[in-house]
Amino acid sequence: MNYTLHQLQIFQKIAELKSITKASEELHLTQPAVSIQLKNFQEQFPIPLTEVVGRQLYVTEFGMEIARTASKILREVEAINYKTRAFQGELSGRLTISVASTGKYVMPYFLSGFLRKHPGVDLVMDVTNKSLVVESLERNAVDFALVSVLPEKLKVNTVRLMPNSLYYVAGSTMNLSVTTPKKVLFEKVPIISREAGSATRAAMEHFIAQRKYTVKKTMELTSNEAVKQAVLAGLGCSIMPIIGLRNELKSQKLKIISVKGLPINTYWNLVWLQAKNLSPIAKAFVEYLEAEKEGIIAEHFEYLE
């Protein structure tokens, strides 16, 4: 047999995604190139690795065994690369972070300088809702989590980064102002919310329940970006973080409606389990944040003031 690491990487990705098209997109290769490599890889085995039923690609049981072995080989190769950099005096390895969805507007700015300083560090960042972020932290599946509400049942260490403020936001086409009765804002205007498990959704529901508003029309969407687009389209209003609205507020496509009790103010915190033994990379990242966070906030988030 004479297969290459490149072929192992391609087949492992095809087995993971069950699609040549998706594998080519993720690997930044053309679809014909991936198909050719799959064909060349298959020719080295007497047993089929994949099969096509209708227009759907399936990986055979034998193919899944090969894919699992390929994953182990690729991890070992990755470890060799990390060790080589380490012997050259470079910080190298993988940094894993789970980020509450709105945090995607925050975390990249706190990572960019660190990754430029340490090119041997690979980043894996999962963006999802708060409940899944906390779950990944609890399972010790990640080095860090970025949350705006600290998990209650876990003992964690924290680095406080920056404020997270939620406002009542409307599209410019909505005929609403500071004089609009507050009950109208919640009981007559459709309210757009995040999905269950989202910290933004929990904060909104707590605010509404405290004031005993009866929300009659709601729409549930699974990302802050989707909520923003729905508000822009005039489908309703929402209580949402200002962090992702800079351009829309500046262009006056969105407007903030003043409501007593708002904004809801929390902080973005990078957290990790107290019992976790941080890797050298993770320790270096914590030290970097402690030293640089104020400068990063001043440079990139001054507009929040």
Side-chain angles (χ1 to χ4, degrees):
M1 291 189 178
N2 194 30
Y3 44 76
T4 65
L5 289 174
H6 185 53
Q7 288 173 341
L8 288 175
Q9 182 186 32
I10 287 175
F11 182 68
Q12 188 274 333
K13 190 58 64 176
I14 290 171
E16 176 188 337
L17 300 176
K18 307 294 189 295
S19 167
I20 290 175
T21 300
K22 291 179 181 177
S24 64
E25 291 172 354
E26 188 152 326
L27 294 170
H28 305 290
L29 298 170
T30 65
Q31 189 171 331
V34 171
S35 297
I36 290 170
Q37 290 299 327
L38 175 61
K39 179 176 180 293
N40 292 340
F41 189 58
Q42 172 65 79
E43 286 175 351
Q44 300 181 69
F45 298 94
I47 304 171
L49 299 171
T50 62
E51 58 186 1
V52 178
V53 179
R55 299 182 64 180
Q56 177 65 45
L57 181 141
Y58 294 90
V59 181
T60 64
E61 183 178 352
F62 176 68
M64 290 306 300
E65 286 292 332
I66 298 299
R68 283 189 282 270
T69 302
S71 294
K72 293 178 184 177
I73 293 170
L74 292 169
R75 284 196 297 271
E76 291 299 321
V77 171
E78 188 178 68
I80 291 172
N81 293 334
Y82 290 149
K83 289 175 183 177
T84 302
R85 293 193 185 104
F87 270 88
Q88 292 174 322
E90 296 180 24
L91 192 65
S92 63
R94 179 173 293 176
L95 185 68
T96 58
I97 305 176
S98 188
V99 177
S101 57
T102 311
K104 69 184 177 184
Y105 300 111
V106 174
M107 200 68 238
Y109 293 98
F110 290 93
L111 283 162
S112 57
F114 180 77
L115 295 176
R116 282 196 300 269
K117 186 177 180 180
H118 303 290
V121 174
D122 293 330
L123 172 68
V124 178
M125 188 170 80
D126 179 40
V127 181
T128 184
N129 69 32
K130 182 214 168 189
S131 62
L132 294 178
V133 169
V134 173
E135 181 184 319
S136 66
L137 187 69
E138 189 173 17
R139 290 188 290 106
N140 197 29
V142 293
D143 295 315
F144 300 107
L146 182 72
V147 293
S148 60
V149 179
L150 294 175
E152 296 178 358
K153 298 180 181 179
L154 298 180
K155 294 182 178 180
V156 296
N157 294 319
T158 70
V159 176
R160 177 177 283 193
L161 297 182
M162 56 179 288
N164 180 43
S165 300
L166 280 65
Y167 289 83
Y168 188 100
V169 178
S172 58
T173 58
M174 300 285 284
N175 187 24
L176 301 173
S177 70
V178 293
T179 61
T180 303
K182 299 308 175 272
K183 278 206 167 187
V184 170
L185 294 177
F186 291 94
E187 298 187 357
K188 301 296 183 183
V189 177
I191 297 296
I192 303 169
S193 76
R194 286 286 307 279
E195 78 285 3
S198 159
T200 301
R201 161 86 169 254
M204 176 193 289
E205 289 180 340
H206 180 68
F207 177 83
I208 291 171
Q210 275 190 324
R211 281 145 187 82
K212 299 180 180 179
Y213 295 136
T214 303
V215 177
K216 296 179 180 178
K217 298 180 180 179
T218 60
M219 182 184 304
E220 182 179 301
L221 300 175
T222 57
S223 74
N224 277 323
E225 190 63 30
V227 171
K228 180 172 73 175
Q229 294 302 324
V231 174
L232 282 167
L235 294 178
C237 297
S238 187
I239 295 177
M240 58 191 307
I242 194 175
I243 189 70
L245 308 179
R246 179 181 184 178
N247 294 332
E248 291 76 16
L249 291 171
K250 187 175 180 180
S251 64
Q252 298 184 347
K253 293 180 179 178
L254 290 178
K255 56 187 177 183
I256 292 173
I257 306 298
S258 178
V259 175
K260 185 178 180 180
L262 295 178
I264 300 168
N265 293 310
T266 58
Y267 273 85
W268 286 111
N269 293 277
L270 190 78
V271 304
W272 65 98
L273 296 174
Q274 286 184 3
K276 186 175 183 64
N277 292 318
L278 292 181
S279 68
I281 294 170
K283 289 179 181 177
F285 184 53
V286 171
E287 292 170 2
Y288 170 82
L289 288 180
E290 294 284 16
E292 303 292 338
K293 63 179 181 178
E294 296 301 331
I296 294 169
I297 293 168
E299 181 180 356
H300 297 288
F301 300 102
E302 185 180 4
Y303 71 92
L304 293 176
E305 296 297 328

